Amino acid sequence: MGCCCFGLLMMAAVSVQAQTKSWTADNGNGTFTNPLFYDEFSDPDILRVGDDYYLAGTTMHTVPGLVILHSKDLVNWENMAYCFDRFDFPEDRFALKNHEEIYGQGIWAPCIRYANGQFYVFSNVNGKGLQCYTAKDIKGPWTHHNMQGNIYDLGVLFDDDGKIYAIHGYGTVKCTELKADMSGPVEGTERVIIPEGNGVGEGHHMYKIDGMYYLISTDYMPNGRTLCSRSKSIWGPYETRVIQADETYGYHAASLTQVPRGTKYRIGEDGTKFALGPLDKDATACSNAHQGGIVQYKDGSWWALFMQDFHSIGRTVCLMPMTWEDGWPMVGLKGNLGRAPRTWFKPGAASPSATEGTAIAPSHDSQTTEDPAWGVRAPYDRNETFDGKQLGRVWQWNHNPDDKLWSLKKGRLRIQAQPAEQLMWARNTLTQRVIGPKSVATVELYVNGMKDGDVCGLGNINVPCSWIGIVKNGNSLTLRCFEQLTNDTVTVPIGLPDGKICLRMVGDYDNDQAQYAYSTDGVNYQTLGRMMPLSYQLISFQGSRHALFSFNTKGKQGGYAEFDNFTVEEPCADRSQNIPYGKTIRIINKATGRPAIALKHGLLHDSHAGDKSELTRFKVINCGQGKVMLQCADGRYMRICGNGLPGDVRFTTDAKEAEQFLWQDFLDHDFMLLSLRNHRYLGKSPTTGSSYSMDYTGPDPARRNGAVLVWEE
């Protein structure tokens, strides 16, 4: 299987030396598979400086804030910096004090630029206006400029004449000149450059390319799509074209957290006001790839880095090749514009096209522009022993912490318990994003420092939240699992003579579910509570997050909890066996459940369910770089005749005529086959009765339009 069985994951022991392999998009063969990160990274903006690439993203209410990643190849990334360690505003809401909070607010939608010998990161803080952070070195130190003004979700352009422009607004798009010293907007310069009624949305990214102004925007009404507006002047007039739509990579919109209409909802209220919204697996909605930046790679090819909603993971980033057509930067490949492959050749591993400005399929002797010193890597080390003097870069606090009430001491993280009714109000809660598609997070908890009323443990800080942990009442300890969605509590008595317990969260995030477990010996785990449904939500605008917490429910300063050996196991991170090279497989159409059959008549059709005859068996031949040929058990090779007409998938005995496909790995044995000639996919209509063709633009959100296949050995 491409991923381990969920049940086996639940009970498997994870040692301190658990596997360290983490998801990376790099397949190690010159290709990559989206998403770039299988954890949350919202509102990406991309910048190239020389041969280095920098990606800035939203951090909302968590600190350190405004994350910046660095890459040499656009596929492998490292965490390079945060623009600030904590919010430097004095209000209680930035520190989660006195029932004030900035959930779903904070700082978001950054724009990263380089000019005048320094880096600039622009972003908005709710209630504080436009903010800018500048640094000579990408690693910092960063200087904060509070520019104020009602400018948000913006793109910034440093024009050739030295002027600086901010593009902002939804529907009605405005342009405002900024002062060079970052003290604020230039008074009286705001003008409408694209009036309402042109279908343009928000999340603007402005570029000047060969003298032309290009504005990349995203729209979500009535469904998500990406647009480009272009003009010879920054002030317009602009013409607009859709450059990407409907690319979901086979992921439907998630069930969103909802509260009843008319309800005055506050973070932290119990589950009686929560519901999970309706789930339409056929809906694209706004979950498709959208909002992000574009960049020219050093070999001349162009790429988009857009975010996409990946269910309870939250929003993450996909890397998409681009093709210039008639002066427009279109997402996708010639013959299939507007869509983009899930698996494609890495920038630099493919030959650039001088005429089309896009990456095309490389030959075996193509030259690479990859940096040989820049290998396969993940942005973060998620495992933490707490032995160092500082926390790992993957960790973020939920709002500003009280630095006097937490410490790294004798190889453990110590968190003092401060008064809070429940997890969402608990200060000094340390978080890191969950990683998909499946993962197991385990932590050791030491409870001898707890006092009456203290609660501590491992949680999922989201809306709604949940947790598993230890509760102390008087001198007695109990083990508790709490689920805010239903306001349900499961409590069992427990004895901890050595003051230690191991807590675990097992997540199947592609399927939006998770369950807690615990162990008193670190080997044998028992589940507690139900298999919980998870959601994405637009209340705090975040996906699921692991949380280490300690708070006191009796309104007083409590004792402390200590945490050690936080580990994350990712059973799907190793994808080296996901393509069944050299194996003989059956190809099942996911839409119909029927196996493909190589008819003697010469066409690829479908057979009856359960057919295991010779003509339903295909050998997968490795052609290098993720490319494959398919050979029927009777010796014939699959080939493509024509350019998309029904019935054009045929067979030949000559291997030189065989089609080479780029295998698209969708995990768990789901896959697609991409033609390197017309950049379309093999598929068969589940309703018309026609044979297989090579004319599918991509998967539908439910993976049942006939283009997504399943292999079985």
Side-chain angles (χ1 to χ4, degrees):
M1 293 289 289
C3 294
C4 297
C5 171
F6 187 78
L8 292 177
L9 282 176
M10 178 63 68
M11 306 314 298
V14 182
S15 68
V16 176
Q17 293 77 30
Q19 70 170 59
T20 58
K21 185 174 181 61
S22 188
W23 177 277
T24 172
D26 198 321
N27 294 316
N29 62 358
T31 69
F32 68 93
T33 295
N34 282 311
L36 284 184
F37 325 117
Y38 229 116
D39 63 336
E40 189 169 61
F41 196 102
S42 301
D43 306 319
D45 192 33
I46 183 70
L47 169 70
R48 175 186 170 191
V49 180
D51 290 341
D52 295 285
Y53 304 87
Y54 302 102
L55 191 67
T58 286
T59 49
M60 287 295 182
H61 50 274
T62 57
V63 293
L66 285 187
V67 62
I68 299 174
L69 304 184
H70 166 251
S71 178
K72 289 283 190 180
D73 63 5
L74 292 178
V75 173
N76 295 284
W77 295 84
E78 62 179 347
N79 181 296
M80 179 61 70
Y82 292 95
C83 288
F84 58 90
D85 291 329
R86 59 191 296 120
F87 292 103
D88 55 3
F89 303 109
E91 290 91 338
D92 286 349
R93 61 195 180 102
F94 293 98
L96 201 61
K97 295 167 63 177
N98 298 321
H99 278 204
E100 297 292 333
E101 43 79 13
I102 53 168
Y103 284 112
Q105 301 174 63
I107 195 160
W108 46 277
C111 172
I112 184 170
R113 292 292 179 263
Y114 183 80
N116 307 315
Q118 65 180 347
F119 293 92
Y120 298 77
V121 178
F122 300 87
S123 196
N124 171 76
V125 172
N126 291 74
K128 294 293 183 179
L130 179 61
Q131 312 297 312
C132 179
Y133 297 83
T134 58
K136 296 291 186 181
D137 189 313
I138 193 69
K139 296 180 181 179
W142 292 84
T143 301
H144 180 199
H145 310 264
N146 189 344
M147 302 178 70
Q148 303 180 10
N150 187 28
I151 297 176
Y152 59 90
D153 218 358
L154 76 162
V156 175
L157 177 73
F158 287 77
D159 212 341
D160 302 332
D161 60 3
K163 292 186 176 181
I164 309 168
Y165 299 104
I167 314 300
H168 55 104
Y170 177 80
T172 300
V173 181
K174 303 173 184 178
C175 178
T176 302
E177 188 178 344
L178 303 179
K179 295 178 181 178
D181 63 359
M182 299 296 115
S183 60
V186 177
E187 292 80 1
T189 60
E190 182 179 294
R191 288 169 54 184
V192 173
I193 59 173
I194 302 178
E196 176 64 90
N198 287 278
V200 177
E202 60 185 3
H204 305 298
H205 299 256
M206 177 64 85
Y207 307 92
K208 191 174 185 181
I209 305 171
D210 295 334
M212 183 75 75
Y213 295 88
Y214 291 89
L215 180 64
I216 308 297
S217 307
T218 191
D219 189 27
Y220 58 83
M221 293 294 287
N223 71 315
R225 59 197 187 133
T226 304
L227 305 103
C228 178
S229 304
R230 70 181 186 183
S231 174
K232 294 181 180 179
S233 167
I234 188 74
W235 305 108
Y238 285 84
E239 54 179 332
T240 300
R241 178 177 294 187
V242 175
I243 63 171
Q244 183 276 330
D246 294 330
E247 189 52 80
T248 67
Y249 293 115
Y251 285 82
H252 55 77
S255 177
L256 296 178
T257 302
Q258 296 182 339
V259 293
R261 290 183 181 275
T263 299
K264 187 177 181 180
Y265 167 77
R266 283 177 58 85
I267 289 284
E269 291 180 326
D270 66 32
T272 57
K273 294 185 174 69
F274 287 112
L276 297 186
L279 183 63
D280 184 353
K281 292 187 176 182
D282 294 306
T284 300
C286 299
S287 65
N288 61 318
H290 63 290
Q291 189 156 341
I294 66 174
V295 68
Q296 186 177 29
Y297 193 65
K298 54 191 175 184
D299 66 357
S301 59
W302 282 84
W303 300 81
L305 289 94
F306 291 166
M307 70 179 181
Q308 182 183 339
D309 294 7
F310 266 72
H311 292 198
S312 53
I313 290 290
R315 291 168 167 169
T316 188
V317 182
C318 293
L319 177 64
M320 313 172 93
M322 304 189 78
T323 300
W324 284 87
E325 182 180 76
D326 298 330
W328 293 96
M330 303 294 295
V331 171
L333 303 164
K334 188 174 179 62
N336 194 6
L337 299 179
R339 304 293 295 269
R342 182 166 188 177
T343 297
W344 188 241
F345 302 101
K346 291 172 58 179
S351 302
S353 169
T355 57
E356 298 172 0
T358 183
I360 59 175
S363 63
H364 286 291
D365 59 354
S366 64
Q367 297 296 312
T368 178
T369 61
E370 293 181 83
D371 186 334
W374 190 258
V376 177
R377 65 184 68 197
Y380 304 101
D381 181 0
R382 301 179 183 281
N383 298 324
E384 177 70 85
T385 63
F386 301 109
D387 290 336
K389 295 182 180 181
Q390 295 180 328
L391 292 168
R393 300 179 69 85
V394 70
W395 294 105
Q396 292 177 291
W397 296 100
N398 178 24
H399 294 66
N400 282 348
D402 184 338
D403 288 330
K404 297 179 181 178
L405 296 179
W406 74 272
S407 62
L408 294 173
K409 196 167 186 176
K410 296 181 180 179
R412 295 178 185 172
L413 167 69
R414 177 177 291 191
I415 301 178
Q416 301 284 148
Q418 301 179 63
E421 295 92 337
Q422 57 107 307
L423 175 59
M424 299 300 287
W425 290 112
R427 298 194 64 200
N428 284 11
T429 296
L430 188 64
T431 75
Q432 68 166 263
R433 299 170 300 280
V434 304
I435 188 164
K438 297 179 174 73
S439 60
V440 183
T442 307
V443 70
E444 296 174 6
L445 171 64
Y446 294 85
V447 300
N448 285 341
M450 295 178 68
K451 292 183 179 180
D452 178 40
D454 285 359
V455 181
C456 59
L458 171 67
N460 174 23
I461 192 160
N462 204 339
V463 183
C465 69
S466 64
W467 53 264
I468 183 173
I470 298 295
V471 178
K472 187 166 187 177
N473 281 306
N475 294 320
S476 65
L477 298 177
T478 55
L479 177 67
R480 179 173 296 172
C481 180
F482 171 73
E483 186 182 355
Q484 192 184 32
L485 175 64
T486 56
N487 200 27
D488 187 36
T489 299
V490 179
T491 301
V492 296
I494 195 165
L496 300 174
D498 58 356
K500 172 186 173 182
I501 188 171
C502 294
L503 304 177
R504 171 172 290 178
M505 179 175 171
V506 182
D508 181 4
Y509 300 107
D510 267 7
N511 293 305
D512 296 328
Q513 59 182 1
Q515 189 162 36
Y516 290 114
Y518 69 97
S519 172
T520 56
D521 61 10
V523 176
N524 301 294
Y525 282 80
Q526 301 180 59
T527 61
L528 189 67
R530 67 167 180 159
M531 183 77 73
M532 301 172 296
L534 302 175
S535 72
Y536 181 66
Q537 41 76 34
L538 302 179
I539 298 171
S540 70
F541 284 90
Q542 68 175 183
S544 299
R545 279 178 175 255
H546 298 306
L548 306 181
F549 65 88
S550 176
F551 61 92
N552 186 281
T553 59
K554 296 188 176 180
K556 59 186 180 182
Q557 205 77 19
Y560 61 85
E562 291 185 322
F563 300 87
D564 201 359
N565 296 323
F566 183 91
T567 61
V568 179
E569 184 181 16
E570 300 178 46
C572 303
D574 183 359
R575 304 190 302 281
S576 60
Q577 303 302 312
N578 284 16
I579 304 179
Y581 294 126
K583 295 182 179 180
T584 298
I585 64 171
R586 289 186 186 84
I587 299 173
I588 312 298
N589 194 295
K590 195 173 181 70
T592 65
R594 297 179 178 179
I597 185 170
L599 297 176
K600 290 291 187 182
H601 187 55
L603 303 180
L604 183 67
H605 199 57
D606 62 0
S607 185
H608 60 83
D611 185 358
K612 297 183 178 181
S613 62
E614 179 185 54
L615 298 185
T616 65
R617 302 174 187 174
F618 299 90
K619 184 176 181 180
V620 180
I621 300 172
N622 185 0
C623 300
Q625 292 184 294
K627 296 176 289 186
V628 301
M629 296 192 305
L630 296 174
Q631 183 182 28
C632 184
D634 68 358
R636 293 178 296 161
Y637 297 89
M638 194 178 296
R639 69 182 181 120
I640 307 301
C641 299
N643 201 24
L645 299 176
D648 67 352
V649 183
R650 303 179 187 175
F651 291 88
T652 177
T653 57
D654 187 352
K656 295 180 181 180
E657 296 180 353
E659 181 80 3
Q660 286 192 4
F661 303 99
L662 185 63
W663 187 284
Q664 306 287 298
D665 180 21
F666 278 58
L667 309 179
D668 284 323
H669 287 213
D670 282 14
F671 73 103
M672 296 177 66
L673 293 172
L674 174 67
S675 168
L676 295 177
R677 292 188 301 108
N678 69 356
H679 300 135
R680 297 207 172 198
Y681 300 93
L682 181 76
K684 183 191 182 304
S685 168
T687 58
T688 64
S690 61
S691 297
Y692 277 85
S693 67
M694 204 73 221
D695 196 32
Y696 283 73
T697 58
D700 67 330
R703 304 189 187 183
R704 52 191 178 201
N705 66 338
V708 179
L709 312 170
V710 183
W711 67 268
E712 63 178 30
E713 193 171 351

